[in-house]
Amino acid sequence: MMEMITIGVLDLQGGVREHLHLLSQISNVRALSVKKKEDFNNLDGLILPGGESTTISKLLNIFELKDIIINLNKEEIPIWGTCAGMILLAKEIAGTSTSHLNLMDIKVKRNAYGNQLASFKSKKVIPKISKKELPLVFIRAPYITNKNKKVKTLLKLDGKIVAAEQDNLLATAFHPELTTDLRVHKYFVNKVKAD
Ligand SMILES: NC(=O)CC[C@H](N)C(=O)O
C-alpha cells in the first residue's frame, strides 16, 4: 500500500474549501484544514490559500501561527502559496516596507493587473508541470517583479513571473483550486512525496 501524506490548508480566511476539494480527489492524500497550533503537527505539506493577504497576516499574528509556519519551512516542508498565499511567502512587497512570513526571495506587486483586468482567465503550458495547457484563473492577482537566483521561474505571462519555485516553496499568482484541473495540485503532492 502507498503511504498516505497529509497536506494542511491554512484555514483563516479565503479559498480553503476549494483546495480541500481538489486535494480530496488525489489518491493517498489526506487533506486537513489547519488553524490551531496543534493542527500543524505532522503535516507533510502546507497550502496558503488565496484571499486577502493583509487579513490573513493579521490572523496569523493573532493566532500566533507565523513562527510555526516559519519552522515548517526550516524543516523544508513543502509550502505552496496561491495568490494572497504568494504575497504571504514573499520577502518584499512593492510599495511597503513590511512583509509577512518573509520566506521566499521574491518581490511581489499586489493587485498588479489593475482594475480593468482585476479578474481574467488564460491558458498556458507550464513545462515543469505538464506538456499540455493549464487553465489559469487570476483574481486581483499579484505578480513577481523581482527574484534572486535561488528562485526558479515556472511561468511568465506577458513578461511577468506568475509561478515560481524555490526549493520547498511554490508560489502561483493564479488559482488552480478554482478549476477542476488537478495537475498543479498533483505537482505539489509529488513535491511533498519527493521531500
Ligand atoms: N485572489 C487573491 O488572493 C487576491 C490577493 C489580494 N489582492 C491580496 O492582495 O491579498
Side-chain angles (χ1 to χ4, degrees), residues 49-54 82-85 87 110-111 139-142 175:
E52 230 291 316
S53 53
T54 46
T82 54
C83 202
I87 298 167
R110 295 180 65 198
N111 303 320
I139 301 170
R140 295 174 57 75
H175 294 271

Side-chain angles (χ1 to χ4, degrees), residues 13 21 56 99 125 128 137 140 144 162 166 174 190 195:
Q13 188 265 336
H21 178 65
I56 299 174
S99 61
V125 173
K128 213 175 159 196
V137 179
R140 295 174 57 75
I144 296 171
V162 292
Q166 178 178 3
F174 48 88
N190 285 332
D195 183 51

Side-chain angles (χ1 to χ4, degrees), residues 18-19 22 50 80 82-84 113 117-124 126 134-142 155 157 162 172-181 184:
E18 293 82 353
H19 274 296
L22 261 71
W80 173 20
T82 54
C83 202
Y113 293 93
L117 270 180
S119 300
F120 63 97
K121 289 184 183 173
S122 184
K123 278 187 175 182
K124 285 277 180 272
I126 305 179
L134 287 147
L136 308 174
V137 179
F138 291 81
I139 301 170
R140 295 174 57 75
L155 179 68
L157 191 72
V162 292
T172 59
F174 48 88
H175 294 271
E177 77 283 9
L178 296 182
T179 73
T180 55
D181 196 303
V184 187

Side-chain angles (χ1 to χ4, degrees), residues 72-191:
L72 289 180
N73 181 60
K74 282 199 190 122
E75 291 167 28
E76 295 174 23
I77 300 288
I79 304 175
W80 173 20
T82 54
C83 202
M86 170 166 118
I87 298 167
L88 294 173
L89 288 177
K91 287 198 178 168
E92 278 188 77
I93 302 170
T96 141
S97 57
T98 51
S99 61
H100 304 299
L101 292 167
N102 206 32
L103 297 179
M104 192 166 179
D105 290 293
I106 53 174
K107 179 172 181 178
V108 297
K109 183 172 178 200
R110 295 180 65 198
N111 303 320
Y113 293 93
N115 282 335
Q116 274 179 328
L117 270 180
S119 300
F120 63 97
K121 289 184 183 173
S122 184
K123 278 187 175 182
K124 285 277 180 272
V125 173
I126 305 179
K128 213 175 159 196
I129 297 182
S130 175
K131 288 190 188 91
K132 291 192 182 146
E133 284 186 331
L134 287 147
L136 308 174
V137 179
F138 291 81
I139 301 170
R140 295 174 57 75
Y143 56 61
I144 296 171
T145 60
N146 299 81
K147 66 168 196 71
N148 74 14
K149 273 191 288 193
K150 293 184 215 159
V151 178
K152 306 270 176 284
T153 298
L154 293 178
L155 179 68
K156 279 187 179 179
L157 191 72
D158 300 328
K160 311 292 186 198
I161 303 170
V162 292
E165 195 166 44
Q166 178 178 3
D167 305 319
N168 57 309
L169 301 174
L170 174 66
T172 59
F174 48 88
H175 294 271
E177 77 283 9
L178 296 182
T179 73
T180 55
D181 196 303
L182 295 174
R183 282 174 289 169
V184 187
H185 285 76
K186 284 187 173 163
Y187 179 77
F188 182 65
V189 166
N190 285 332
K191 205 171 159 65

